[in-house]
Amino acid sequence: MHIPDGFCSIPVCIGTAAISAGVLGISAVKIKMSSKESKLSSMIPATAAGVVFSAQMLNFPVGTGTSGHFLGALAMAALFGPCRAYIIMFAVLAVQAFAFADGGITALGANLFNMGIIGGFGGYAILKAVMHFMPKGRKSYLTAVGIAGWASVVLASIACSIELALSGTFQFSLALPAMAGTHALIGVGEALITCAIVGAVSYSRPDILPKWSGIQSNGSKKPSTSWLVTLIGVGLAFFLAAVLSPFASSSPDGLEKVAEDMGVMDRIMELWTASPLPDYSVTSISDSAMSTAIAGVIGVAIVLAVCYAIIKLLSLRLAK
């Protein structure tokens, strides 16, 4: 769902960038003011960012020559709250745009709006709404997480359709059913992956989850230490990038497929040519699988460092 340069008009790019930047500032302030941040190791959300980055490299087929990939915003919101999830998505999307040419530079605000605000904050609102009608506990929370995860992808695709229609790229009456229908299928994969991630964390670090989930008071065992969770998470992120990413589906993702069907791929513009690892590859390595694996490993390392630095800076005030 990464919008490339050339698909969004200048007003849409400016408008979504302004909103995304404003929410970024608000999220940073809220994290600084949060007492939870002083008890949450900066490496845990950074590790989560690495997992999101590597998981997004694993496009999975959804039929009819289309693939999808993990979005991750709702998973992060379900674990850390929407503000930290937004910071995580910002780190991932920024690294993807500048280092891998995945998503346009001018469209970064739109991509952050769709995946971070609509997917993260919107999905989190749905999660809380669903939990309002369900008993507290692990099964209920994971069910609500699955529903909200699916909805976050579909809602983000609708927002994307609106932006591209306002830009004159797509005809809204054609783009909306195509985008929403394709991403309704992709959302099933999102729901399953999200439940798996949140479920694993609910056993290892139930204290991270919001109190209203009811998991902490549901007979959970003593949570694992931060270093152990970090070690497992970092290992998983590098494993996904190094071992599994070369086997990802090569079919176009939902947005690319719709753009191809509507004959608008020629609108893509290459405005940023300084990406060191374009299209998740190392240009000096001829073997495509090895090139993708090495690029993925480098990407995970960059995302870990960037997200850790951001979260650490935001938590400095609490340490004083």
Side-chain angles (χ1 to χ4, degrees):
M1 201 188 300
H2 294 68
I3 302 174
D5 287 318
F7 269 27
C8 287
S9 64
I10 293 177
V12 170
C13 287
I14 293 175
T16 52
I19 295 172
S20 297
V23 175
L24 184 64
I26 293 172
S27 297
V29 171
K30 285 188 173 293
I31 291 175
K32 277 191 173 184
M33 296 173 62
S34 174
S35 60
K36 181 180 180 180
E37 191 65 32
S38 61
K39 298 182 291 184
L40 183 64
S41 170
S42 299
M43 270 309 300
I44 292 181
T47 299
V51 173
V52 170
F53 172 85
S54 59
Q56 286 195 2
M57 293 182 66
L58 307 179
N59 281 48
F60 51 85
V62 294
T64 64
T66 309
S67 70
H69 64 72
F70 183 55
L71 194 155
L74 188 276
M76 299 300 98
L79 295 176
F80 309 113
C83 291
R84 291 175 187 81
Y86 191 69
I87 297 296
I88 289 171
M89 294 305 296
F90 168 73
V92 171
L93 291 173
V95 170
Q96 288 173 335
F98 285 97
F100 297 89
D102 186 10
I105 301 301
T106 60
L108 180 57
N111 287 324
L112 189 55
F113 178 86
N114 298 337
M115 290 183 261
I117 297 177
I118 302 298
F121 284 92
Y124 188 76
I126 294 173
L127 172 60
K128 293 198 72 174
V130 173
M131 277 299 294
H132 181 73
F133 299 99
M134 300 181 72
K136 292 182 178 181
R138 180 173 285 107
K139 290 182 179 179
S140 295
Y141 192 62
L142 293 181
T143 299
V145 161
I147 294 172
W150 177 86
S152 70
V153 172
V154 176
L155 290 176
S157 72
I158 293 174
C160 180
S161 299
I162 294 173
E163 292 156 6
L164 297 181
L166 290 174
S167 301
T169 304
F170 288 168
Q171 184 178 338
F172 184 68
S173 60
L174 298 177
L176 179 60
M179 285 287 288
T182 299
H183 286 86
L185 296 175
I186 295 173
V188 175
E190 181 80 17
L192 294 175
I193 298 171
T194 300
C195 286
I197 292 175
V198 176
V201 174
S202 73
Y203 282 99
S204 60
R205 283 297 301 266
D207 57 307
I208 291 177
L209 302 178
K211 292 182 179 180
W212 50 263
S213 68
I215 293 178
Q216 299 175 64
S217 59
N218 196 29
S220 300
K221 63 180 182 180
K222 184 178 179 180
S224 304
T225 57
S226 295
W227 69 265
L228 179 58
V229 174
T230 298
L231 183 63
I232 294 173
V234 170
L236 175 62
F238 280 115
F239 174 79
L240 295 177
V243 180
L244 298 186
S245 66
F247 301 99
S249 173
S250 59
S251 298
D253 66 15
L255 175 57
E256 291 174 332
K257 178 62 175 175
V258 173
E260 287 181 359
D261 292 344
M262 294 189 175
V264 297
M265 290 296 286
D266 59 340
R267 292 183 61 123
I268 295 179
M269 300 174 64
E270 189 178 2
L271 300 179
W272 178 255
T273 59
S275 300
L277 302 165
D279 198 26
Y280 299 91
S281 64
V282 180
T283 55
S284 60
I285 298 178
S286 58
D287 184 272
S288 60
M290 180 66 69
S291 176
T292 299
I294 294 176
V297 168
I298 296 173
V300 169
I302 295 173
V303 169
L304 286 171
V306 169
C307 192
Y308 177 81
I310 294 173
I311 297 295
K312 194 67 175 178
L313 285 173
L314 294 178
S315 64
L316 285 178
R317 181 177 178 180
L318 292 169
K320 294 179 179 179

